[in-house]
Amino acid sequence: MLKIITVLCSAIGFTIISLICIMGLIVALASPKLPQVSELVEYTPKLPLRIMTADGVLIGEFGEEKRKVIEYKNTPKVLIDAILAAEDDKFFEHRGIDLTGMARSVINNVLKGAKAQGGSTITMQVARNFYLSSEKTFTRKIYEILLAMEIERNLTKEQILELYLNKIYLGKRAYGFGSAAFVYFGKRLQQINIAEAAMLAGLPKAPSKFNPYSNYRRSIIRQRYVLKRMYKLGKITLSEYQKNYDLKLILKEGKEKGNQVKLSVPANHVAEMVRQKLFSEFKEKTYELGLTVFTTIRSREQIAAKAAVDKAVTNYTYKSTFEGPDGFIKVSGKSVPLNQEIENYLEKQTKIGSFYPGVVKKIKNSTLHIIVKEKGEINIKIDKEVRGYINQTLTSSKKSKLRIGSIVWVIKRTDGKDKYKITNKPKVEGAIVAIQTNNGAIKALVGGYDFYSNKYNRAIQAYRQPGSAIKPFIFGAALEKGISASTIVNDLPVNFDAESTGGVLWEPSNFNDVYLGPISIKEALTKSQNMVSIRLIKRIDPSFAQGYIRRFGFESSRNPPYYTLALGAGAVTPLQLGVGYSIIANGGFYIEPYFIDRIVDSEGRLIRKYEPIKAGDEKLRVIDARHAFIINNILSEVIKTGTGKKARSIGRPDLAGKTGTTNDAFDAWFAGYQPTLAAITWFGFDSPKSLGKNQTGSAIALPIWIDFMKHALKNVPVTFPIEPRGIVRINDDLFTEDTTPPSGILSIDVKTLDDKIDPT
């Protein structure tokens, strides 16, 4: 035994002597090649792109490294004590190298036959993190030592520790303790307690190994080690040690509003729009510069918009007839237990909005036993609708049969029966965009039901047929041709040959085949009578109508000059329609939609301010102010007595708008406004198909608009458009000076459009 010890001591002595010799040689060779560590004084960490609402609520953060930069002076003492106890309790005593710790490391390496590791001071860790790789070699360790000594000569202890506090990786993409406190506990660093500080201080040794999200038990073992070290060093009392030893950690990733923890506003599509815009300019540096972008979105309006879309999609899917299982997983029941196979499948799935994926585990006693993501096992009684998919009385397809392994979707019931209801995977979509009418600022935008299952932004990317929502612009073109709102037009059926409609035989009709005969344009637009719009575009010429609506931002290539244009057979996005209605609302001025208000740097300095185009400049006038006022008058009547009368439930007299429904209810719209805010709602399927019988703009898109506007307009004063010069009022009708009928013969001298599009 004595011989072994003698040999071991000799080996250790030789190792230390060899190390000193090697260090001397490397110092001589490497010193001239060491980087200039003085630049660390000016070090700026990579900071993520942060996106905020106009009122300062975080809605998105992009960057490989989550960071919240903190200064040493603002760091809680309890965290400093915990870090030093865990990593380097002699930090304020040594000059970058802890010889005692290094000796222990050398002995340990010799005993284990391992490469150089351990014994690193905080200064050495800073050197490694900034300048060196993580490979464990003697050469790298020597460079680490030399750099640590150089750092100590150039920086104060406080500066070194501040670099460490902000640079070190702590798991879950969190770099630095400020970010880690937020990621793990949903707190600002100044709010953490002793137990939380000890857990954070234990992470640098092995972030993946001691991460409480991935291995809670192991993280607690490490945390308790740090607490014990803190007690032994006199940093906490015995009672504090005992109290925090057994204190349960509550993990909660935080969201913020200013300096307060708060749930994020649901604005993922907006955040992605900002990210794409900035990336087009800054490329990869977008995620490193620490830019903060303040959007035009307001949190109250955005929350209301998302809630309105969610409600519509959820209600529509909830009420839809069950269409059978969404798929099937093979369950062997042999090598792997059934429950485990189901759990393995569900682990890879995510819920969509209010809908949870599940797998049928058992069917017994008229009950479906389903294991559901995030909910565990639930039981659902088999009703008449579902029974057919078990007995296959409704279908002969094996894939549509409900059996063990069937993938289904469930949602909480609203009718007071079972707690959950089996339903379909949500496939229908909705979108909403709200625009400040005087300058184009987007106040709310929702591009779809669930961003994470489908990132397609329907508010700005989906070109859909607008249906009758396009009619106010067709009528605006007629006003320019000298036709008044009181002009009488025949509301009777009309057919077109293929040549006049772009190659397709067209047989249009009114909704529910209701025809009113000769009626005024105002009444026709209020009741959305199609035949009048068709005869109107025939009189003014489709090419003129196409050129006119182009002024509002509608693309000519997507809205060809055919008679079908009168009924919205072209294609627009909700955002384009929002701009168009904003122009009517603001008196006829073009506005450019925008969603970024300003950008500031990591220090809060303004680096860019976006100046919008504001209504009021006559150079930006799109249509005659008198025409805008008359169109607004008719759209107000749509709310009072027409297809938009459900909106009267909001209780405001200053609303205007128009419903829109395409053939077979492929698309449902409501486009409306209060003079200061225009909002467009759309509802439909991404791959166009019928929403079902009577699923019109009034029935399904207007309720979304109402749910949004009743919140968005809260505390907004009642406002009416200012009547421009040149409006002539005769009874309840509005005219311009050049369309006023002669006095005394109004009843017989009203213009009538001849019906030249026979047969009728």
Side-chain angles (χ1 to χ4, degrees), residues 307-335:
V309 170
D310 286 359
K311 178 182 175 182
V313 172
T314 300
N315 288 348
Y316 180 91
T317 307
Y318 185 92
K319 295 175 183 177
S320 297
T321 302
F322 180 58
E323 299 173 352
D326 200 48
F328 181 80
I329 65 169
K330 292 182 180 180
V331 286
S332 63
K334 296 179 181 178
S335 58

Side-chain angles (χ1 to χ4, degrees), residues 570-644:
V572 303
T573 67
L575 181 60
Q576 288 176 340
L577 206 57
V579 171
Y581 275 81
S582 293
I583 292 171
I584 296 172
N586 69 29
F589 298 98
Y590 183 74
I591 45 107
E592 189 75 40
Y594 73 105
F595 51 91
I596 295 178
D597 177 67
R598 67 190 185 280
I599 302 173
V600 300
D601 65 15
S602 59
E603 299 296 323
R605 294 184 294 261
L606 181 67
I607 63 173
R608 185 171 303 168
K609 173 74 175 175
Y610 288 80
E611 296 296 336
I613 298 173
K614 295 182 179 180
D617 184 347
E618 287 298 323
K619 295 178 181 177
L620 300 174
R621 178 166 292 287
V622 171
I623 58 172
D624 191 308
R626 299 169 301 168
H627 296 167
F629 188 79
I630 292 172
I631 297 171
N632 174 77
N633 176 261
I634 298 175
L635 294 180
S636 297
E637 193 64 33
V638 172
I639 301 293
K640 293 174 184 176
T641 63
T643 56

Side-chain angles (χ1 to χ4, degrees), residues 4 31 122 133 235 307 638 649 719:
I4 294 173
S31 290
I122 283 178
S133 68
K235 302 301 181 182
V638 172
S649 63
T719 308

